[in-house]
């Protein structure tokens, strides 16, 4: 198992003070910045683009930026995010006409490619492409909004994807996104996730460090058990 990564989603941050919020959450012990990009087309919401990613880099953020693209089409925007300082770029297979090509494009742009599975997307979508990925992101809510409830069937799916990743033998991260809280993160870790996105659970709490510490402790206990 790879070291645990906690990736707060900026979707729940105070956008009027985004730089400070990201600094605060990283100082509180977060590992990555989860950067949710929505286009009001692939998902019914609109957020931020490459300009804001590059503004965070200019602000001095050096932590990995984990760009979650909820946009269609995907390919045209990949280079812009690579130039803006993205570390990982993940996309939804339904949003790209040529999934394998998009993966190659992300890699060629110098970023780590990830594929995102919606709650109803079958795990077979990973066939023939898993070997090319650095990350599989399982959605445990339908994409578009923060603050939704965790969908339980994601646990079963995590176990299935964990088996595939272990069989593949490469250090591919298994990330979960949606409704992750201190009281369910243990079960999520036990099902095989090693990378945890949390928006409202972290940014909605008064003490970011306290929540992140609790999450890490729950993951450590679940993985030991
Ligand atoms: C949903 C986004 C998530 C979201 C998670 O489409 O991809 O990253 O911000 O928010 P919470 O943790 O509040 O469910
Ligand atoms: Zn996300």
């Amino acid at each position: 198992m790879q070291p645990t990564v906690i990736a707060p989603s900026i979707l729940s941050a105070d956008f009027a003070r985004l730089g400070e919020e990201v600094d605060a959450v990283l100082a509180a012990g977060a590992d990555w910045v989860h950067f949710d990009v929505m286009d009001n087309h692939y998902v019914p919401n609109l957020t931020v683009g490459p300009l804001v990613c590059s503004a965070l880099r200019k602000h001095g953020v050096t932590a990995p930026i984990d760009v979650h693209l909820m946009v269609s089409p995907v390919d045209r925007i990949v280079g812009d995010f690579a130039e803006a300082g993205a570390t990982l770029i993940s996309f939804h297979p339904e949003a790209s006409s040529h999934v394998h090509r998009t993966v190659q494009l992300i890699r060629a742009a110098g970023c780590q490619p990830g594929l995102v599975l919606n709650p109803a997307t079958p795990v077979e979508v990973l066939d023939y492409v898993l070997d090319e990925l650095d990350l599989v992101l399982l959605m445990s809510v339908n994409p578009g909004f923060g603050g939704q409830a965790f969908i339980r069937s994601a646990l079963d799916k995590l176990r299935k994807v964990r088996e595939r990743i272990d069989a593949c033998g490469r250090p591919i991260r298994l990330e979960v996104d949606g409704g992750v809280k201190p009281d369910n993160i243990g079960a999520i870790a036990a099902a095989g996730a090693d990378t945890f996105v949390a928006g409202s659970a972290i940014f909605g709490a008064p003490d970011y460090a306290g929540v992140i510490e609790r999450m890490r402790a729950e993951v450590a206990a679940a993985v030991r058990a």
Side-chain angles (χ1 to χ4, degrees), residues 82-163:
E83 265 176 50
T87 310
L88 303 104
I89 300 181
S90 302
F91 67 100
H92 291 248
E94 298 86 352
S96 167
S97 309
H98 303 282
V99 170
H100 191 277
R101 177 182 289 155
T102 304
V103 170
Q104 287 181 312
L105 205 67
I106 294 170
R107 179 82 66 198
C111 297
Q112 297 172 38
L115 200 61
V116 193
L117 277 60
N118 281 333
T121 304
V123 297
E124 282 70 27
V125 78
L126 296 169
D127 288 351
Y128 312 110
V129 78
L130 182 62
D131 209 36
E132 312 279 336
L133 300 174
D134 287 340
L135 176 101
V136 175
L137 172 46
L138 285 198
M139 293 306 298
S140 40
V141 298
N142 287 293
F145 302 94
Q148 304 179 77
F150 184 86
I151 296 171
R152 297 285 303 176
S153 60
L155 291 176
D156 225 32
K157 203 166 174 188
L158 276 169
R159 283 185 275 269
K160 290 206 175 96
V161 176
R162 169 49 62 199
E163 272 175 29

Side-chain angles (χ1 to χ4, degrees), residues 9 11 34-38 66-70 92 116 137 139 143 175 177-178 197:
S9 158
L11 194 58
H34 185 77
F35 194 97
D36 284 308
V37 184
M38 304 186 185
D66 173 31
V67 172
H68 175 190
L69 294 180
M70 287 161 274
H92 291 248
V116 193
L137 172 46
M139 293 306 298
E175 183 174 42
D177 185 2
V197 176

